Amino acid sequence: MLRPEVVEKLECPSVGLATSWAIGRRSVPCESLAECQSLFKRQYWPFPKAKIGKSSSKAAKLREQGNAAYKQSPDDPAKALELYNQSIAMAEEGSADLGLGYANRSAVYFNRKLYRECLQNIELARRHNYPTEMRSKLADREQRVREQLKETGGSCAAAKPNAPTRHCSIKACLEVGEDGEGIRTNRSLEDGAKVLVEKPFVLVLEAELAYQRCDFCGATNEHNLRPCTGCTGVMYCSEECQEQSYQRYHQFECEIVDDLQLLFRGPKPTRMFHVVLRLFWHAVLLFLEDPEAFLRRVETPAELEQYRDPFALEPTDYVLHLLAIYKDREPNPEDSKDMTGRCVTQFMAILMYAIAVKENVSLWSRLQAVEGSEKLPHLLFRLVQRVAAMDHKMEGVTCFYPFTRRLRRSSTPNAKQSVDEQLQSVVVLTGPVAEGQELTIPDEEKSGERRNE
């Protein structure tokens, strides 16, 4: 295994360590995940458990840096806003620093003539202990905003966050293919028809976008991003997104958010493992709700088969769908790449479980009291084996689209897929399609070849 001081310097320490493990074993996987778990030593991972706490002094310093950045580039406030957002995320709950950060944001939006956003941040500043002796500045700014809005006939109402939408829409014309794979139409459709609009079921932002986008929906919404009260690593565009995030995954990640940044540090494809972990959190929630029933579903092929059709499922069952459609398989002993891949995925699953679960004090104490929790490492391993189902080719974000991932690729496709500004996967027909015909999208390799010609 690599020495700890070497691992610390790796661009991608987790995958580098897993590769070292595979090399050390000469690409011979362990007989079982339990064997891999017994051989794993915590000292292989040289980073101690840590959490960056909120800090008034750090918040003040970031706010000062934001002031300097805005003074230097008032016509391009993106950097200043990012620093103000970092300051807000770092500020201690109940401190004046939180209110000061919102007030700084309101000043930027006033100068940019974004008056509704300015009012929104003035209100946030007041609600978060903006210093009493400075409130006359806010009152003056608010009065000038209202005068401007009155002159222009604009509304004083703050912009509402995006209304919640269903995970997937425009799918009434689609169904699972006859062979249980792919997606086909159940009616004839014309060229140009939009047949699928799908939000990511799970997404992970790149670290550099943590203070520019909502951690839950991915929206670029700097003017009203609000922080998690328990950590400094994520922000949200609305209270609804914050609540949804906490219910689905952040209740498990808040305590270890800084550990996860180290665990998934490296090139963008490494974030696919973080998406897998967030899918695992969905599985943990289902397990905690009814351990016996959940384990029966995932361990019984006949029961798991019932989750193959995503059109018949609730979003809470999509993790079971992922387990159902990608069959577990043994590696080919004659294929060195296959054997190395199995070694790497075994180690990654055990490393992720050790850092994200066993060292996650609040979660670990809950799991220890539940019969059957010893089977969760193997469940995580099964999900890690499906890491290729995650989409990491979009700028700034890595996602899982359950429906889009079912579309097969072809050198003669009849549809095209793209991702819009709201991170929705949109599938549009490129020609007329008959009832019962399977939808296919361009083969990535062939498309790349054509682009290079």
Side-chain angles (χ1 to χ4, degrees), residues 369-395:
V370 182
E371 185 176 352
S373 60
E374 71 279 358
K375 297 182 178 182
L376 291 178
H378 189 261
L379 174 62
L380 178 57
F381 170 62
R382 291 173 67 183
L383 290 171
V384 169
Q385 288 182 290
R386 291 151 175 82
V387 70
M390 312 308 145
D391 192 335
H392 67 279
K393 296 182 179 179
M394 294 170 291
E395 184 176 352

Side-chain angles (χ1 to χ4, degrees), residues 1-2 12-24 340 343-348 351:
M1 295 294 289
L2 293 173
C12 186
S14 58
V15 177
L17 197 57
T19 303
S20 171
W21 167 271
I23 293 171
T340 299
C343 283
V344 168
T345 53
Q346 283 182 338
F347 186 87
M348 282 297 297
L351 176 61

Side-chain angles (χ1 to χ4, degrees), residues 56 104 111 363:
S56 294
N104 281 115
N111 293 332
L363 172 60

Side-chain angles (χ1 to χ4, degrees), residues 122-139:
I122 288 173
E123 179 58 28
L124 285 168
R126 286 187 175 131
R127 283 166 46 191
H128 291 89
N129 294 322
Y130 187 74
T132 304
E133 65 274 15
M134 300 174 66
R135 292 203 170 203
S136 59
K137 290 176 62 177
L138 281 185

Side-chain angles (χ1 to χ4, degrees), residues 111-127:
N111 293 332
R112 300 284 293 174
K113 299 183 180 180
L114 298 170
Y115 297 125
R116 291 191 303 176
E117 289 83 352
C118 177
L119 286 176
Q120 198 168 27
N121 280 273
I122 288 173
E123 179 58 28
L124 285 168
R126 286 187 175 131
R127 283 166 46 191

Side-chain angles (χ1 to χ4, degrees), residues 67-315:
N67 292 340
Y70 187 56
K71 184 177 181 180
Q72 183 177 356
S73 303
D75 295 328
D76 184 15
K79 183 61 179 177
L81 284 171
E82 183 179 359
L83 287 163
Y84 289 147
N85 284 340
Q86 288 185 56
S87 174
I88 290 167
M90 187 63 69
E92 297 174 33
E93 188 68 14
S95 70
D97 292 283
L98 196 51
L100 287 165
Y102 288 127
N104 281 115
R105 265 194 344 202
S106 76
V108 172
Y109 287 111
F110 177 79
N111 293 332
R112 300 284 293 174
K113 299 183 180 180
L114 298 170
Y115 297 125
R116 291 191 303 176
E117 289 83 352
C118 177
L119 286 176
Q120 198 168 27
N121 280 273
I122 288 173
E123 179 58 28
L124 285 168
R126 286 187 175 131
R127 283 166 46 191
H128 291 89
N129 294 322
Y130 187 74
T132 304
E133 65 274 15
M134 300 174 66
R135 292 203 170 203
S136 59
K137 290 176 62 177
L138 281 185
D140 178 63
R141 186 175 299 149
E142 180 181 15
Q143 182 179 349
R144 286 186 288 163
V145 166
R146 295 186 183 280
E147 288 173 356
Q148 289 293 330
L149 287 171
K150 187 176 181 180
E151 288 180 12
T152 59
S155 169
C156 292
K160 295 181 179 179
N162 293 333
T165 59
R166 292 175 296 170
H167 164 258
C168 193
S169 61
I170 322 182
K171 62 183 183 183
C173 59
L174 305 178
E175 62 187 18
V176 172
E178 186 176 4
D179 60 356
E181 305 291 340
I183 292 179
R184 67 179 182 180
T185 64
N186 56 26
R187 68 190 72 167
S188 296
L189 297 169
E190 297 180 354
D191 178 18
K194 186 184 293 185
V195 293
L196 183 65
V197 178
E198 180 181 18
K199 296 193 300 182
F201 178 59
V202 173
L203 65 81
V204 170
L205 297 176
E206 294 296 289
E208 60 268 22
L209 298 181
Y211 305 106
Q212 300 175 32
R213 287 187 172 191
C214 175
D215 190 70
F216 180 73
C217 72
T220 302
N221 202 0
E222 300 99 327
H223 70 264
N224 71 343
L225 286 177
R226 58 198 68 203
C228 169
T229 58
C231 72
T232 63
V234 297
M235 300 190 82
Y236 303 100
C237 68
S238 66
E239 291 180 1
E240 181 187 17
C241 277
Q242 187 166 3
E243 182 179 348
Q244 288 289 319
S245 165
Y246 189 81
Q247 290 177 358
R248 293 192 186 187
Y249 61 85
H250 197 65
Q251 60 174 299
F252 304 126
E253 293 190 1
C254 188
E255 180 183 322
I256 56 170
V257 65
D258 301 303
D259 300 303
L260 296 183
Q261 288 182 2
L262 284 170
L263 188 61
F264 303 119
R265 187 178 79 188
K268 192 175 186 301
T270 311
R271 245 66 71 217
M272 294 192 294
F273 290 104
H274 195 172
V275 174
V276 166
L277 183 64
R278 288 191 171 173
L279 287 166
F280 176 69
W281 298 140
H282 280 266
V284 169
L285 288 170
L286 292 173
F287 170 77
L288 290 172
E289 183 179 303
D290 191 336
E292 184 178 350
F294 176 75
L295 291 175
R296 185 178 64 251
R297 289 197 294 268
V298 299
E299 293 176 347
T300 308
E303 291 216 15
L304 196 57
E305 190 70 15
Q306 299 174 30
Y307 295 91
R308 290 186 63 83
D309 183 356
F311 296 98
L313 301 178
E314 293 296 324

